Amino acid sequence: MHHGNGTQDFTVLDPDLFYASTHVGYGFYPGSGHKEEEEGREGRLVNVPFREGEGSSQRFRQAWEKEIFPTLKAFEPELILMSMGFDAAREDPLGEMELEAKDYWWLTRGVMEVAREGGKEGEGEGEGRKCKVLSVLEGGYHLGALGLCGVAHVKALLGLPFDEGAGEETGVEEEPLEALHLLPPVVDREEEELLERMAGVSLDGGKERG
């Protein structure tokens, strides 16, 4: 929902940083995130503001497909930090972007695909491009939507499909991408167990599939 003005300020200090944001702008707090702010930082700063009530899955995805993802790929990132604000969900009391859980899955999967192509080519034999992804939980004020969108996001991070029929809904293959290396879990749980448990979570109300 909100523009990351503090994060964007780092692009002034460091020319090796890229920042992109979809958010509610045009006076919405904090009042930053205008297209004009990209001047002098083209190719490493992309702002796509929406007016209150004008957000939708289609507009959101178009913004990333046409403006953000192409610019991010050209930047060849070596590390991607995701500020996951779930207050853009349809059910959220502050939400004006009307996003669904599948939109968060779609966005995260797209970021993971960029990560596989990003980074600089390795110099040693067998070394390909290297880019890692780190996600940080941010806004979200409807616990139900926060839970569903959070699960969708983590599923995409793990290379799991959104749900049964996700391929038809998103236009991408149903076969999950191979998950990138995960950081050590914050709880005492093996990665294989986490993958197995996440694969059994349905996003149609939180029930597990048999």
Side-chain angles (χ1 to χ4, degrees):
M1 281 290 294
H2 304 284
H3 176 250
N5 55 325
T7 309
Q8 177 177 295
D9 286 346
F10 281 100
T11 63
V12 178
L13 303 173
D14 192 338
D16 291 328
L17 294 180
F18 174 99
Y19 178 70
S21 175
T22 47
H23 53 273
V24 177
Y26 304 100
F28 192 81
Y29 184 84
S32 55
H34 308 293
K35 296 295 292 184
E36 294 79 8
E37 296 169 12
E38 299 174 6
E39 185 176 354
R41 288 175 280 181
E42 293 84 355
R44 59 187 187 90
L45 175 60
V46 184
N47 280 317
V48 185
F50 294 86
R51 296 188 183 277
E52 291 188 60
E54 288 187 352
S56 66
S57 296
Q58 181 179 7
R59 287 172 179 251
F60 176 78
R61 296 190 186 198
Q62 285 179 345
W64 282 89
E65 284 184 328
K66 296 182 178 181
E67 298 188 57
I68 298 178
F69 280 146
T71 312
L72 179 58
K73 288 179 181 178
F75 187 77
E76 295 187 323
E78 296 175 308
L79 173 67
I80 299 177
L81 307 179
M82 300 184 71
S83 299
M84 293 307 297
F86 296 109
D87 48 359
R90 181 186 300 275
E91 299 85 358
D92 196 277
L94 296 182
E96 296 286 348
M97 294 183 68
E98 303 293 318
L99 299 186
E100 305 283 355
K102 62 185 177 183
D103 296 315
Y104 283 99
W105 180 90
W106 176 89
L107 167 64
T108 308
R109 180 177 174 119
V111 169
M112 298 292 280
E113 291 176 341
V114 172
R116 286 175 175 77
E117 302 173 3
K120 308 300 181 183
E121 291 286 359
E123 297 180 357
E125 183 177 353
E127 292 187 13
R129 295 181 180 274
K130 297 181 180 296
C131 177
K132 295 185 178 182
V133 177
L134 175 64
S135 175
V136 179
L137 173 64
E138 296 204 358
Y141 307 97
H142 185 284
L143 292 182
L146 179 61
L148 291 177
C149 294
V151 168
H153 171 58
V154 174
K155 278 193 165 189
L157 287 174
L158 296 175
L160 298 173
F162 171 73
D163 207 351
E164 291 184 358
E168 292 106 18
E169 292 178 350
T170 61
V172 298
E173 297 178 1
E174 292 187 32
E175 182 179 354
L177 296 171
E178 181 183 353
L180 293 179
H181 174 70
L182 300 175
L183 294 175
V186 295
V187 295
D188 186 16
R189 179 179 298 166
E190 294 295 331
E191 183 175 319
E192 290 77 9
E193 179 186 351
L194 179 60
L195 285 166
E196 182 179 353
R197 289 173 64 87
M198 291 298 300
V201 176
S202 172
L203 297 176
D204 59 1
K207 299 178 181 179
E208 289 194 357
R209 296 195 300 270

